[in-house]
Amino acid sequence: MLPTSSCAARIACTGAVAVFAMVAGSLVATPAEAATVVGQGTYENDDPAVTLNGSWSRVASNQDSGGSTSSLSGAGYAELSFKTSGIRWVTRKNSYSGMADVYLDGVKKATVDLYSSTTKTQQVAYEVTGLPESAHTIRVVRTGTKNAGSSSTNIQLDAFVAPDVHKPAAPSGLRAVVSGTDVNLSWTANPETDVKGYRVYRREGSSTTRTQIGSTTTDVRTLKDPSRSPGVTYTYDLVAVDTSDLVSPYSSAASVTMPISAKGAGTYEDDDAALTLSGAWSTVKSGMDSGGSYASLNGAGYAEISFKTSGIRWISRLNSYSGIADVYLDGVKKASVDLYSSTTRYQQVAYEAKGLTETDHTLRVVRTGTKNASSSSTSITLDAFVAPDIYPPAAPVGLTATPKTGSVQLGWTASPESDVIGYRVYRGAATGAPTAVTTKPVTDTGWTDDGLLPGATYRYQVTALDQGGNESPVSAVVTATVPMKALPAGTYEDDDTDALTLKGPWSRTTSTGANTDSGGSFSSLGDTGYVEMSFATSGVRWLARTNSSSGQADVYLDGVKRTTVDLYSSSTKFAQNVFEVDGLPETGHTIRIVRTGNKNAASVGRNITLDALVAPDVYAPAAPSALKATGTRTGAKLTWTPSAADDVASNRIFRRAAGSTTDVLVGEVPAGTTSFADVGLADGASYTWTVVARDTSGNDSTPSLGAAFTNAGDVYAAFPQRYATCPTATVTVSTRAQLLNAVSSATAGTVIRLTPGSYGANIDVYTAKGTPDKPIWICGPRTAVIDNADITRGYGFRVNGASNLVIAGMTVRNVQKGVAVLNSKAVTVADLRVENIGDEAIHLKNQTTDSTVIGNSIATTGLNSPNYGEGVYIGTAQGNWCLYNGCEPDTSDRNLVAFNDIRATTAEPMEAKAGTSDGTMWKNTLDGAAITSSDTDSLVQVMGNGWVIAGNTGAHTPNDAIQVWNTDTDYGLNNIVYGNAVPDALPGYGVRMPYNDGGNVVGCDNAASRAALGMSNKTCQN
C-alpha cells in the first residue's frame, strides 16, 4: 500500500505533476498543480527538479555522481518528471540498504533490492527506454522491507539521468598548418550546448586507417601534431562528443605535406643543424666520439635526417647502459637496434642502408624505452649520421721524412679537397710493403713516428681520407734512417736522460742507506712505456729492484724479443742483475725493456723498475800502490795510493796469515777510501796484506804489492801502574788524619802507603800534580778500607784537577759514589775493591783524559739509585752538559778501562757517553745479573766516537751485550768492536750498531752464538 505522507492527503508536497488516490485498491493519478518537466540531463539528488518526500538525508562523497548521495530511513519517496525517451535511477548499493518500488506514470514497474555485500557506487538500479518523448514521471518509493542479508531498510538516491539520444553535428572549419616539423590544427566550435569535447584523427599518405592523435575539451579547439616526417602527406579530421557520449560524424578533412631538406654526402654530427632531435637530448663532450661529442636520449623522442645519397649510416656509442631503438627509413620500420655492449665502444656503425636511389630519403631513429636484459638503462645515443661519399680523394704530395732520436718526423702538403678529414700513415722496413701505423685519421699535415729502433731504415707513404670513408691512392715513397748513439762502457743510471730513452710515465725515487740502489735512486713505470739504450760494447746488463709489487717486462735486443723478465720477489732486493747478454760484436746495439702489464700471480702490482743499464767494461783497472801496514791499539792500519783508473768502484782488502797460502777478503771500501783498520789480530802473529781495485763493471785489478806486519800482542798486559808495582813508601799512614795530611802535602814522587785499618771516607785529592816519571802514589792493601757507612751520601776518593796520580789496592765501600775523577789527566785507578756503592763505582768526567781504570773488582752498585748504578762510567750525559760542564761536550778522551771484574751493578757495567772519544775497553769481565735500571738493556753502552771495545767477556744481559748509539749525528761514530764473547743466551744482539753507521766496525770474531737476534745487526769484518 502507499506510505502515508506528512502532507496528509497529498503525496507530493512540492513540484508534483499529479496526486494519487486509492481507487478500488489501486493507486491512480489525480489532477494536481502544474509540475516542472525536465529534458535530457543528469539530475543529482539535491537538484530542485527532484521531489524528495520524507526525511531524506544528504551525505557528501566524491565516490558518487555530483559529489553526494541521499538516504531515506523512513516513509517517503523520490520523484522526477521528464520528457525524454527514457530514464535511469542511479544509486548506491551496500550491505545496509533495503527495497524500493518503482512507479512510472503511476504504474508500479519493479521492486528493486538495493542490498550488496560490498558498497558499490553510481549503480543503475532501474532504467526504462523507448518511451514517447512526452511528459512522464518516475517515483521511487521506500517499502520498509529488505533482503535478509541487509542490516537496514534504507533506500538511496544518487541521481536521475534523462538520456540524450541525438548525436551532435560534425565539426566544421578544420585547418592544418605546417610549423617546422609540427602540424598545427584548429576548427570552429560546435553549436550544441551539450558538446563536451573533440577527438582528432590522422591518416598518413594513402592509408585509410585513422589514428587518434589527441582529444580536447569543448573550450579548446586547437591541437599540435609534433615531429612529423619530412616528405610525408598527413590527412586530419575530427568528431564532436556530447555529454551523453554520443559521437558526431567526421568533419571535412584537411591535408598537409611536410617539407623535406635532403642533405648531400657528409658527416653530420650530433649537434648539426641538419638533424632533427625530438625529445630531451643531452650533449656530452668527448674526445673519443666523432666531432668531439655525442648526444644521449633518456626519454621519449627520436633523431632524424633527410638525405639524397645512395646510403646512410647511423654512428653511435655501444655500452652497458644503452637500450634499443627502432630505425625507420622513409617512414617504414627497418630494424630494432640493440645498443648494449659489455664494454664501451666508440664510433660504431649501429645501422647502415645502402644501394638507395639518389633521391630524397629520411632516416629516423626512435627510442623504444626497452633494453637488453643485461643493460642498466633504456637510453639511446647518437654520435653522427654519415651520408657516404663514394669518390676517393687524390693522393697526398710533398711527403718528407726527417730522422730524430728514436723517431722520424713526417710532413706533407695539405689536400685541396674540402671533404678530406685526415690522413693515414704507412710504414715499412727498408724492404717490403708498408703497413698502416696510424689507427685514427691524422688531422694535421705532419706526424711523428716514435719508438723506432736506432740504426734502422724505414719507408713511408701517406693516403688521404674523406668524410665518406674513402681512401686515396698512396703517396710517393720516402725513406729515413733513425740515428744511433751507441754508448761506450759505463753504468747509466735511471736518471741519465742523455743516455737513456724513457717512454711513458716513469717516476724516480731517491733511495738512502747502504746496499740499496745503484746511483742512489731507481725509476718505476706503472703504465704503458719502455726504456731504451744503444751501446757499443760486447754486452749489456739491466739492474733493477725486485719486490712483491713488480710485474713483468719483455726485453728486446736489436728489435728482437729475447725474453720476458719477472721482477717479482717476496722481499725487496736492490740492484739485481735481472737480464744480461754478452759475447756481442762490439758494434752498435739497442736494448729495449717494455712493460707488459702482466705479473706473477703472487705479485700485488704490475710496475716495472729500472735501477741502471750497464754496458760492461772487460778491462781491469790498474792496481793500487804504496800499501803500508802500521800497528795500532786495534790491530793494523793500512794505507795506500789509489788506482789511477777513473771507473774504480771499490778497493778490496785481502789478508794472508804467515805460513798460509790463502788470501782472506777482510774488507771492501769505496773507491775514494785509501785506508782500512784490520782488527782482532792474534797476539804475536804476522800477516801480509794486499789491495785489489774493482771497477764499476766488476773487473778486478792485479793485487797491489804486499805490506807485512807482526802484531805485538796485548799492549796492556804489562801495564806499569798496578798495586803490585807500588814503590817504597815515602809516607806511611795509619789514621784518617795522617792520610788527609799526606794527600794535601803530596808532590811529584810522593808515595803514600796505607796500613791496614779504616780511614773513613770523602778523601779529596785536589790539584795533586805528579809527573810522568814521578807520579804521586796512594796505595794500600785491601784491608785498608775507605768506608762512609752510608750509601746515600759521600764518596770514597774524589780527584779534581790532578795529573799523574795512582790510586791502587785498597777497598772502597758504603759510600754514594766510589771514586770520582774530575778535570784530571793521567790518573790511574788500579786494583781497588769497590763495593756496596749507592750510585756508580768509578766515574771519569769533566775532561778527564789519558787515564786508566785497571784491575779493579767492582760489585754491588746502585743501592741508592739503581738508574745510576754503573760500574765504570766515562763522561757526562749529553742532557747534563749545561748542568755539569758549562754547556760544552765532556771530552773525557783516550781513557783505558782494562782487566776489571764488574758484577752486581744495577746499570751498565761499562758506559761511555757522547762527547768522549778514542777510549779503550779491554778484556774486562762483566756480569749483568743484578741490572734493574729501567733504561739499561746492555752490558756495555758507548755513545762516543773512536772507542775500541775488545776482548771483553760477559753474561746475563737484559737484551744486547754491547750497544753503540747515535745521540745525534756527531756521536756514535768510528767505534771498533771485536774479540768479545758472551757465552750465555741473550734476547737481543751480541753487538748492536746504530743506524747511522758512521765508520763503526764489528769484527767477525765477536762470539755470541746464543744471541736470539744474531751476533750483530751490522755485517761483520773478518
Side-chain angles (χ1 to χ4, degrees):
M1 60 181 292
L2 185 70
T4 59
S5 169
S6 59
C7 298
R10 297 181 62 185
I11 295 177
C13 298
T14 61
V17 175
V19 295
F20 296 82
M22 188 70 72
V23 179
S26 299
L27 189 65
V28 296
T30 61
E33 59 203 80
T36 301
V37 179
V38 299
Q40 67 186 39
T42 297
Y43 300 93
E44 301 294 341
N45 56 297
D46 55 356
D47 194 290
V50 176
T51 299
L52 297 177
N53 178 269
S55 300
W56 290 85
S57 60
R58 179 177 177 274
V59 178
S61 167
N62 60 9
Q63 301 293 314
D64 299 284
S65 173
S68 69
T69 185
S70 291
S71 177
L72 178 63
S73 59
Y77 59 84
E79 182 178 86
L80 177 72
S81 294
F82 59 96
K83 56 184 178 182
T84 57
S85 62
I87 194 73
R88 297 186 198 108
W89 165 31
V90 179
T91 187
R92 279 193 176 196
K93 292 185 178 182
N94 51 39
S95 62
Y96 47 87
S97 289
M99 297 182 180
D101 289 338
V102 180
Y103 293 83
L104 182 66
D105 296 333
V107 178
K108 179 179 177 181
K109 293 293 185 178
T111 297
V112 177
D113 187 350
L114 299 179
Y115 170 78
S116 170
S117 60
T118 59
T119 299
K120 300 177 180 179
T121 57
Q122 300 191 44
Q123 302 294 299
V124 177
Y126 175 78
E127 180 175 14
V128 62
T129 60
L131 302 176
E133 291 190 349
S134 56
H136 302 280
T137 298
I138 185 171
R139 177 179 287 184
V140 177
V141 181
R142 178 181 179 275
T143 66
T145 61
K146 67 181 184 68
N147 183 300
S150 179
S151 62
S152 169
T153 60
N154 292 2
I155 66 171
Q156 313 285 333
L157 171 66
D158 188 355
F160 288 119
V161 179
D164 178 14
V165 295
H166 301 290
K167 297 178 181 179
S172 61
L174 176 63
R175 296 177 66 244
V177 179
V178 174
S179 176
T181 60
D182 304 334
V183 177
N184 293 327
L185 303 172
S186 63
W187 58 90
T188 303
N190 266 47
E192 295 90 349
T193 60
D194 64 343
V195 170
K196 67 177 182 180
Y198 302 91
R199 298 173 187 164
V200 183
Y201 296 87
R202 180 184 68 219
R203 287 170 285 168
E204 294 189 14
S206 59
S207 173
T208 59
T209 302
R210 288 183 173 88
T211 300
Q212 183 176 339
I213 61 171
S215 61
T216 70
T217 56
T218 186
D219 56 333
V220 178
R221 293 180 299 280
T222 61
L223 185 73
K224 178 184 287 187
D225 189 15
S227 306
R228 296 298 88 212
S229 296
V232 178
T233 297
Y234 296 97
T235 301
Y236 299 90
D237 50 23
L238 73 157
V239 297
V241 182
D242 68 12
T243 55
S244 297
D245 290 327
L246 299 175
V247 180
S248 78
Y250 288 99
S251 70
S252 298
S255 297
V256 295
T257 298
M258 301 303 292
I260 189 168
S261 176
K263 301 298 178 183
T267 297
Y268 301 92
E269 301 295 342
D270 59 282
D271 55 356
D272 196 294
L275 276 60
T276 299
L277 298 179
S278 172
W281 289 86
S282 59
T283 299
V284 179
K285 298 295 183 183
S286 166
M288 305 301 292
D289 299 280
S290 174
S293 69
Y294 73 98
S296 178
L297 179 63
N298 290 316
Y302 61 86
E304 181 177 83
I305 187 171
S306 295
F307 59 97
K308 54 187 176 183
T309 56
S310 61
I312 192 73
R313 298 187 196 109
W314 164 30
I315 308 300
S316 179
R317 280 192 176 194
L318 305 181
N319 52 38
S320 61
Y321 46 90
S322 287
I324 297 173
D326 287 340
V327 180
Y328 294 81
L329 183 64
D330 297 332
V332 177
K333 181 178 175 181
K334 294 293 185 179
S336 290
V337 176
D338 188 347
L339 298 176
Y340 170 80
S341 169
S342 60
T343 59
T344 300
R345 298 159 61 191
Y346 305 93
Q347 301 190 42
Q348 301 296 298
V349 178
Y351 174 80
E352 182 173 12
K354 51 189 174 182
L356 306 176
T357 58
E358 291 192 347
T359 56
D360 294 348
H361 302 280
T362 299
L363 182 76
R364 177 177 289 186
V365 177
V366 182
R367 179 182 177 274
T368 67
T370 61
K371 67 181 184 69
N372 183 303
S374 299
S375 180
S376 61
S377 170
T378 60
S379 64
I380 65 171
T381 58
L382 168 68
D383 189 355
F385 287 121
V386 178
D389 174 13
I390 60 174
Y391 303 104
V397 296
L399 178 62
T400 61
T402 304
K404 304 285 186 179
T405 301
S407 65
V408 171
Q409 177 66 55
L410 301 174
W412 55 87
T413 302
S415 172
E417 299 176 49
S418 60
D419 63 343
V420 167
I421 60 169
Y423 305 88
R424 180 171 292 154
V425 179
Y426 290 79
R427 180 187 68 212
T431 60
T435 57
V437 291
T438 54
T439 57
K440 293 183 178 180
V442 177
T443 57
D444 202 354
T445 55
W447 185 73
T448 298
D449 192 10
D450 203 359
L452 302 178
L453 181 66
T457 298
Y458 298 93
R459 303 169 67 245
Y460 292 95
Q461 291 177 289
V462 178
T463 61
L465 307 171
D466 68 13
Q467 292 175 337
N470 302 302
E471 183 174 11
S472 77
V474 293
S475 70
V477 175
V478 296
T479 62
T481 300
V482 180
M484 174 188 285
K485 180 184 177 183
L487 298 170
T491 297
Y492 300 94
E493 301 294 344
D494 61 292
D495 57 350
D496 191 340
T497 54
D498 289 335
L500 306 180
T501 298
L502 296 169
K503 293 291 185 180
W506 288 87
S507 61
R508 179 175 177 266
T509 302
T510 301
S511 54
T512 58
N515 303 316
T516 55
D517 300 286
S518 172
S521 70
F522 77 102
S523 290
S524 178
L525 178 62
D527 206 339
T528 302
Y530 63 86
V531 60
E532 181 178 86
M533 184 183 80
S534 296
F535 57 96
T537 57
S538 61
V540 71
R541 299 187 197 109
W542 167 25
L543 303 184
R545 274 195 185 193
T546 61
N547 52 37
S548 60
S549 58
S550 287
Q552 297 173 345
D554 288 339
V555 181
Y556 293 80
L557 185 66
D558 297 333
V560 178
K561 180 179 174 181
R562 300 297 292 263
T563 188
T564 297
V565 174
D566 189 347
L567 296 174
Y568 169 80
S569 65
S570 59
S571 61
T572 299
K573 299 178 181 179
F574 303 95
Q576 299 297 294
N577 185 0
V578 295
F579 172 80
E580 181 173 8
V581 63
D582 55 18
L584 303 175
E586 291 192 346
T587 57
H589 303 280
T590 299
I591 183 173
R592 178 178 290 184
I593 300 163
V594 182
R595 180 182 181 273
T596 66
N598 301 324
K599 68 180 187 71
N600 184 302
S603 181
V604 298
R606 303 175 191 272
N607 291 3
I608 66 171
T609 60
L610 168 69
D611 187 355
L613 292 177
V614 180
D617 175 12
V618 295
Y619 305 103
S625 60
L627 177 63
K628 295 180 181 179
T630 305
T632 68
R633 63 196 170 105
T634 64
K637 180 177 182 180
L638 307 176
T639 60
W640 61 88
T641 300
S643 170
D646 59 6
D647 62 345
V648 172
S650 65
N651 292 301
R652 296 160 59 82
I653 297 91
F654 293 86
R655 181 182 67 213
R656 180 185 298 184
S660 173
T661 59
T662 301
D663 290 321
V664 177
L665 177 65
V666 294
E668 186 167 6
V669 296
T673 301
T674 58
S675 64
F676 179 78
D678 194 2
V679 301
L681 304 179
D683 293 345
S686 296
Y687 303 93
T688 299
W689 289 267
T690 55
V691 178
V692 172
R694 172 169 286 183
D695 67 16
T696 54
S697 297
N699 301 305
D700 287 341
S701 74
T702 58
S704 69
L705 295 176
F709 170 76
T710 299
N711 189 25
D714 189 342
V715 295
Y716 306 117
F719 189 77
Q721 295 175 339
R722 302 291 297 269
Y723 175 67
T725 62
C726 181
T728 302
T730 61
V731 180
T732 300
V733 299
S734 59
T735 67
R736 173 180 174 79
Q738 291 172 346
L739 174 59
L740 295 177
N741 182 61
V743 168
S744 64
S745 59
T747 60
T750 298
V751 179
I752 304 169
R753 181 176 287 274
L754 285 67
T755 62
S758 180
Y759 291 86
N762 300 316
I763 309 301
D764 285 317
V765 184
Y766 285 0
T767 64
K769 305 291 188 181
T771 63
D773 58 336
K774 292 182 178 181
I776 298 171
W777 285 75
I778 304 171
C779 55
R782 292 285 175 84
T783 53
V785 179
I786 308 300
D787 191 336
N788 196 44
D790 187 349
I791 61 171
T792 66
R793 59 184 178 179
Y795 47 85
F797 287 95
R798 180 166 62 185
V799 179
N800 194 338
S803 62
N804 296 291
L805 170 69
V806 181
I807 300 174
M810 298 155 287
T811 296
V812 177
R813 65 188 179 201
N814 299 322
V815 291
Q816 182 181 359
K817 298 180 184 294
V819 178
V821 182
L822 296 71
N823 193 30
S824 298
K825 182 178 181 180
V827 173
T828 297
V829 180
D831 305 310
L832 300 181
R833 178 167 182 79
V834 185
E835 61 186 9
N836 297 327
I837 305 301
D839 294 343
E840 71 271 25
I842 300 174
H843 192 172
L844 310 185
K845 62 180 180 176
N846 301 112
Q847 291 70 246
T848 292
T849 64
D850 305 291
S851 296
T852 301
V853 178
I854 189 167
N856 299 284
S857 176
I858 298 171
T860 317
T861 65
L863 299 177
N864 177 53
S865 298
N867 282 357
Y868 301 142
E870 294 88 354
V872 178
Y873 186 17
I874 312 297
T876 301
Q878 195 166 354
N880 291 331
W881 285 352
C882 286
L883 182 63
Y884 297 122
N885 210 59
C887 293
E888 295 294 328
D890 183 348
T891 55
S892 292
D893 299 338
R894 299 177 302 281
N895 294 304
L896 169 66
V897 182
F899 302 113
N900 298 285
D901 186 284
I902 307 173
R903 59 189 66 246
T905 62
T906 58
E908 293 88 349
M910 295 191 297
E911 181 173 12
K913 288 296 188 182
T916 66
S917 64
D918 300 324
T920 302
M921 296 176 178
W922 186 265
K923 295 187 179 180
N924 298 280
T925 300
L926 314 173
D927 192 310
I931 291 174
T932 59
S933 170
S934 59
D935 59 359
T936 298
D937 60 353
S938 64
L939 301 176
V940 178
Q941 187 177 87
V942 173
M943 302 176 190
N945 296 338
W947 278 83
V948 174
I949 304 102
N952 302 286
T953 60
H956 305 121
T957 179
N959 189 29
D960 305 316
I962 299 170
Q963 294 178 344
V964 177
W965 292 113
N966 306 122
T967 58
D968 59 35
T969 57
D970 294 328
Y971 299 105
L973 312 176
N974 300 310
N975 300 289
I976 298 174
V977 182
Y978 70 93
N980 301 284
V982 182
D984 63 340
L986 63 156
Y989 290 107
V991 180
R992 184 186 293 269
M993 283 295 184
Y995 292 107
N996 179 14
D997 194 23
N1000 294 308
V1001 175
V1002 177
C1004 293
D1005 56 356
N1006 290 291
S1009 61
R1010 299 176 65 192
L1013 299 181
M1015 192 273 282
S1016 180
N1017 61 330
K1018 175 181 170 62
T1019 302
C1020 66
Q1021 175 181 307
N1022 286 313

